[in-house]
Amino acid sequence: MGRPVPWALGLLLSLLILAEAGRNFRLLKQQVLRAREVQAMKETVSRRRLLRPAPWRSPSEGSLRQPLDHFNRQQGQIFNQRFWINEEFWHRPAGPVFLYIGGESSLSQFSVLAGHHMEMAQKYGALAVALEHRFYGASINPDGLQDASLRFLSSQQALADLASFHLFVTQKYNLTRNNTWICFGGSYPGSLAAWFRLKFPHLVFAAVASSAPVRAQLDFTGYNQVVAASLSDPVVGGSAQCREAVAQAFSALDQRLHAGRLSELEKDFRSCGPLTEPDDRGELASNLADIFMGAVQYNNEGFQGGTVAKLCGIMTDTGLGSPYQKLIAINNGFLESMALPCMENSHQRALAELRSANLTLSGVGERQWYFQTCTEFGYYQTCEDATCPFSRLLTLSAQLDLCSQVFGIGPERVGEAVTFTNEYYGADHPKASRILFVNGDIDPWHALSVLKNQSRSELAILINGTSHCANMNPSRPTDPLPLVLARERIDYHVGDWLSLARKAPSAP
């Protein structure tokens, strides 16, 4: 693939997070990232060639001084929040503004260079702007990961950041009410896009919320219900036989774990170290489940050998022995595709990584995001119901223990936080207007989004056979027809909103 280009990471990372699974899932996301990165770079370079000899200006990068606490200005502390602006397609002075919202990872100038929102920016003559989320990437103070600082990390503060950024851009370019703002986001930023329209309708005219889990949920059993259904779905290469084989494999795994056959498991699944603690066994079970969960969430998105069809091909191959032996083969293939010598199953090492307050100014903000799950969203993917095909060690209590062990936040407080989030934003019935919720039915996160039209202007698109945030990627000739048609519908609604804004700029 060649060396990754740093500016291409931000948009792609923001589409890949939203999963509180094991270490393997995080590794898988990085591989998917690289595959998406290559495709996006090709799309950008191709478009540049088509525009020659027209001049091209690189997007501008800057930082905005923001209050650390918007709701207590007397507190006085500030941080610098990074942003990018691309004026290339803007029809001055009255062209619209397309706001790309950052999420739980670093952002980059790529967020205003490629993607479906940029294809529409070119079509509609929009000024493209993007704001990195507070406490992620470079938008964080040196002490930002300390427990005392993390209390200023929340979706409410993030929305206030967007309002402040709106004012900054408006003043910088002397914008008026004739400049229509539309915001875009995918995954957690998809929720932010919907909530920005909900809470600040006077600032943003409309929103496209892709793969947006707007309903917070403590015990997200629906995630693995979708995974199980996808493993059974022939549309993506699954089958009932595949799902049953997966369930049998993990049942055999649990039997060996309960029987204490640890040395056998360490050898079979190439563990980097001994499964000394009970929680190490949970890490092993979670890492193995990650391979299937990731294949479903990112189906056909670049995980080598990890599509639903390929994994099910292995799990139903009668020549590979028992389901347990097939699970061993699946794990070997994963490790080889990731160039890993062994599987890291140490729970203490996972705790140490989450407790570390050392800053990483690029990539995924694992500590920050887990803090937000403990204080706002939950989203814990469990396997304690009969429909789940994975290990019964994937429990809610195990994930809530991390909130307590890492941040000192007890289970009751986590539950209260999730309830408040839904009360504050309206869950999957937000009662807003001019929001388009876009989801793929293979993406497990669609279970927490808006899937049916709520009103004449609060609309939903569910794309058959597509994965997490697939509609936000640059268009490709190989895109399946349902995805092509969905992008056409998104484009139609964006054009319709802009037409309505021209006719009635004060429309509620």
Side-chain angles (χ1 to χ4, degrees), residues 3 78 90 104 139 161 231 245 285 287 323 401 405 420 463 502:
R3 293 181 59 193
I78 58 97
W90 189 31
E104 62 278 38
S139 299
D161 290 338
L231 292 174
N287 281 329
D401 283 347
Q405 293 168 350
F420 173 78
I463 313 171
R502 288 191 295 270

Side-chain angles (χ1 to χ4, degrees), residues 147-201:
D147 287 355
S149 298
L150 286 174
R151 62 194 174 99
F152 299 111
L153 171 59
S154 70
S155 59
Q156 293 98 321
Q157 295 280 7
L159 294 178
D161 290 338
L162 291 170
S164 180
F165 182 57
H166 182 285
L167 176 62
F168 168 79
V169 174
T170 297
Q171 293 176 340
K172 178 179 175 65
Y173 291 99
N174 296 315
L175 304 181
T176 70
R177 295 173 69 180
N178 292 327
N179 298 100
T180 303
W181 285 66
I182 298 177
C183 59
F184 300 83
S187 205
Y188 164 53
S191 297
L192 290 176
W195 295 336
F196 193 42
R197 169 61 189 160
L198 174 70
K199 297 296 186 180
F200 295 88

Side-chain angles (χ1 to χ4, degrees), residues 14 16-21 26 29 102-105 133-136 145 150 153-155 186-189 191-192 195 213 216 354 363-381 403 406-407 445 468:
S14 70
L16 297 178
I17 318 298
L18 270 193
E20 290 315 318
R26 296 193 291 274
K29 287 184 291 187
E104 62 278 38
S105 66
H133 197 294
R134 62 167 49 211
F135 284 74
Y136 294 95
L145 293 187
L150 286 174
L153 171 59
S154 70
S155 59
S187 205
Y188 164 53
S191 297
L192 290 176
W195 295 336
L354 284 175
V364 177
E366 294 289 351
R367 174 172 165 82
Q368 302 96 300
W369 179 242
Y370 213 98
F371 176 80
Q372 286 195 263
T373 70
C374 298
T375 57
E376 295 191 83
F377 305 122
Y379 294 151
Y380 302 120
Q381 298 138 32
C403 293
V406 177
F407 303 111
W445 290 96
H468 196 58

Side-chain angles (χ1 to χ4, degrees), residues 140-303:
I140 187 171
N141 286 335
D143 63 350
L145 293 187
Q146 300 291 334
D147 287 355
S149 298
L150 286 174
R151 62 194 174 99
F152 299 111
L153 171 59
S154 70
S155 59
Q156 293 98 321
Q157 295 280 7
L159 294 178
D161 290 338
L162 291 170
S164 180
F165 182 57
H166 182 285
L167 176 62
F168 168 79
V169 174
T170 297
Q171 293 176 340
K172 178 179 175 65
Y173 291 99
N174 296 315
L175 304 181
T176 70
R177 295 173 69 180
N178 292 327
N179 298 100
T180 303
W181 285 66
I182 298 177
C183 59
F184 300 83
S187 205
Y188 164 53
S191 297
L192 290 176
W195 295 336
F196 193 42
R197 169 61 189 160
L198 174 70
K199 297 296 186 180
F200 295 88
H202 57 294
L203 299 183
V204 62
F205 192 78
V208 179
S210 300
S211 299
V214 289
R215 176 161 57 90
Q217 190 171 72
L218 186 67
D219 187 353
F220 185 15
T221 59
Y223 186 97
N224 282 323
Q225 290 172 358
V226 176
V227 171
S230 298
L231 292 174
S232 305
D233 189 350
V235 172
V236 292
S239 66
Q241 294 78 12
C242 174
R243 187 227 174 274
E244 181 60 25
V246 172
Q248 290 175 4
F250 277 91
S251 177
L253 174 74
D254 280 353
Q255 290 172 13
R256 285 165 171 78
L257 286 168
H258 292 318
R261 296 162 61 177
L262 302 183
S263 59
E264 175 186 350
L265 291 167
E266 292 161 6
K267 179 181 178 181
D268 287 346
F269 295 104
R270 296 164 60 181
S271 182
C272 295
L275 303 173
T276 306
E277 300 181 14
D279 287 336
D280 294 344
R281 301 158 204 175
E283 293 282 341
L284 168 65
S286 180
N287 281 329
L288 292 172
D290 284 348
I291 302 172
F292 296 89
M293 294 158 64
V296 171
Q297 181 165 322
Y298 303 122
N299 192 49
N300 290 320
E301 290 293 330
F303 171 31

